[in-house]
Amino acid sequence: MNDRKLDAVIPLTLKDYPRFEILHTSLKLFFKDLGKCWIVTPDHEFEQIKSLISDEQYCVIPESSLVPEFKIFRSSNRFSIFKSVPGWFKQQIIKIAIADKIETDFYLTLDADVICTKPVYFEDLIKDGRAVCYIHQTHTHHDWYGWAEEVLKMTARSRELLHNVTPAVLSKQAMLELQTYLTQVYHKTKFPLRRRDLKVVALKFLTTFLPKKSTLRHQLLSWRSYLSVCTPWTEYGLYYIFLEETNRFDKYHIEVTDPIYTNDDSVWYKETFESWDVEKVFSPESSHFFVIVQGWLDLDIQEVWQKVDQYLNKS
């Protein structure tokens, strides 16, 4: 593995491609220690998105090559118990599953609505051989941790906090260990104590009718299928609760006093975009390296470009 590089992952749809162009431009300008960037697309958009990205540092793959189970649940959505995996949860499964392909010890999770705002280096994100992690002291999303507790069959140390979300630096090895643990929990689930357990038990029951060595049976018994029928949950809730409750957190992460993205100066609502202080966001003196311009706001991409262009298109 390259000790001074960080791979990254970006789930990407055609709708979000214009936003990705801003992210791509910012990464080329500011993130020189980026390794391979994995772009994971919906199957039906793979060819078109691949044709748009010529940068050899970016590897474009269809989502079913990483999570073949998506095809199973897409084809079975006529059954009320097994629905297609909603887009938000697809993105999260992708960010967990990509650990199988990551070629660096740690990797960066990104979305198309993220922008890199100033030079960022390996040592800014990895300290003492561990990935930085900022923990917000807030109960804003305590439900995320409650959901994760049910899936993991664990109890979080606290729901009065929030670990940093995308963009985040994760450990490849820790994520592989989480995958193994999720598989074990899935296989041990025998009695439907909750609605989500009912779906799990029903799914496992279906596999008893399949040959033991069949590909379909293997896929239906994977952690990816487990998470597909266990929604809701969040990838960060699963990841950080697992690390903390198995005493792995300090092995893979170091808590820092500043997040790598700015929460206060990101654009979360349409009404704040007009007064967005772009100069402050891109200031070299700022403590952050990334900002989010929330994708679901559907802001005019040209208006976003107008605000950031002078900071990104430097000769």
Side-chain angles (χ1 to χ4, degrees):
M1 290 190 180
N2 192 325
D3 293 337
R4 301 291 302 173
K5 294 287 186 180
L6 278 178
D7 283 358
V9 58
I10 308 172
L12 184 63
T13 64
L14 271 175
K15 179 183 177 183
D16 287 330
Y17 183 79
R19 271 178 277 278
F20 164 76
E21 289 186 299
I22 298 179
L23 169 61
H24 181 219
T25 301
S26 71
L27 291 174
K28 295 298 285 186
L29 178 64
F30 291 131
F31 194 7
K32 303 303 182 183
D33 290 336
L34 177 65
K36 181 180 292 186
C37 189
W38 294 89
I39 306 292
V40 187
T41 76
D43 287 10
H44 65 284
E45 296 180 348
F46 165 67
E47 292 295 346
Q48 191 169 351
I49 292 177
K50 185 177 181 181
S51 71
L52 293 170
I53 300 176
S54 57
D55 191 329
E56 294 183 356
Q57 197 173 9
Y58 289 68
C59 182
V60 185
I61 60 174
E63 61 187 19
S64 66
S65 69
L66 183 65
V67 188
E69 291 80 1
F70 286 163
K71 280 189 173 182
I72 299 173
F73 294 103
R74 184 166 64 239
S75 63
S76 66
N77 63 12
R78 62 185 179 276
F79 301 114
S80 61
I81 194 170
F82 301 127
K83 298 290 187 181
S84 293
V85 183
W88 187 46
F89 295 105
K90 273 190 174 184
Q91 289 185 9
Q92 295 179 76
I93 292 176
I94 285 168
K95 290 172 184 176
I96 298 174
I98 199 64
D100 295 334
K101 294 185 176 294
I102 292 296
E103 298 171 0
T104 53
D105 289 335
F106 300 92
Y107 64 101
L108 180 66
T109 60
L110 294 166
D111 288 325
D113 57 5
V114 174
I115 303 172
C116 191
T117 58
K118 73 174 188 179
V120 55
Y121 300 96
F122 180 87
E123 56 266 26
D124 294 316
L125 305 178
I126 306 297
K127 298 181 182 298
D128 191 27
R130 296 177 289 169
V132 297
C133 177
Y134 179 77
I135 301 177
H136 301 264
Q137 299 301 318
T138 176
H139 62 278
T140 305
H141 294 292
H142 64 274
D143 52 336
W144 291 0
Y145 292 84
W147 296 342
E149 286 176 334
E150 291 187 13
V151 174
L152 293 168
K153 305 296 190 284
M154 288 179 171
T155 301
R157 295 184 182 182
S158 173
R159 294 190 190 179
E160 302 301 310
L161 50 77
L162 176 66
H163 297 83
N164 52 203
V165 294
T166 304
V169 187
L170 307 179
S171 161
K172 169 187 171 74
Q173 182 58 38
M175 194 61 84
L176 294 176
E177 291 170 9
L178 171 61
Q179 292 178 13
T180 299
Y181 176 80
L182 288 169
T183 301
Q184 293 170 348
V185 171
Y186 177 23
H187 292 179
K188 290 178 181 178
T189 303
K190 296 181 179 180
F191 304 105
L193 301 177
R194 301 180 178 89
R195 178 176 172 79
R196 71 173 79 217
D197 290 339
L198 176 62
K199 295 180 181 180
V200 171
V201 172
L203 186 59
K204 288 177 64 178
F205 177 71
L206 287 177
T207 67
T208 63
F209 297 96
L210 298 172
K212 286 190 175 182
K213 294 185 178 181
S214 74
T215 299
L216 179 57
R217 184 176 187 273
H218 173 74
Q219 291 173 351
L220 290 176
L221 288 175
S222 71
W223 66 265
R224 297 174 296 273
S225 285
Y226 178 57
L227 291 185
S228 294
V229 300
C230 271
T231 57
W233 45 264
T234 66
E235 77 275 48
Y236 298 113
L238 295 174
Y239 179 78
Y240 288 113
I241 290 178
F242 168 72
L243 291 186
E244 289 178 344
E245 295 312 306
T246 58
N247 296 313
R248 287 172 164 89
F249 182 87
D250 291 334
K251 178 180 179 180
Y252 296 114
H253 288 275
I254 183 170
E255 188 175 351
V256 292
T257 56
D258 295 301
I260 66 172
Y261 59 89
T262 172
N263 189 65
D264 292 341
D265 294 312
S266 288
V267 180
W268 304 111
Y269 308 99
K270 277 190 175 182
E271 53 267 28
T272 62
F273 179 67
E274 193 63 35
S275 59
W276 187 35
D277 191 345
V278 186
E279 183 178 358
K280 178 182 178 184
V281 166
F282 282 89
S283 169
E285 306 305 317
S286 64
S287 61
H288 62 265
F289 303 99
F290 300 92
V291 68
I292 297 96
V293 180
Q294 187 61 258
W296 55 261
L297 296 178
D298 283 330
L299 295 167
D300 185 325
I301 197 63
Q302 293 308 316
E303 292 184 5
V304 180
W305 265 117
Q306 287 173 11
K307 285 183 177 288
V308 306
D309 185 71
Q310 64 175 306
Y311 301 99
L312 297 182
N313 286 319
K314 299 180 179 180
S315 57

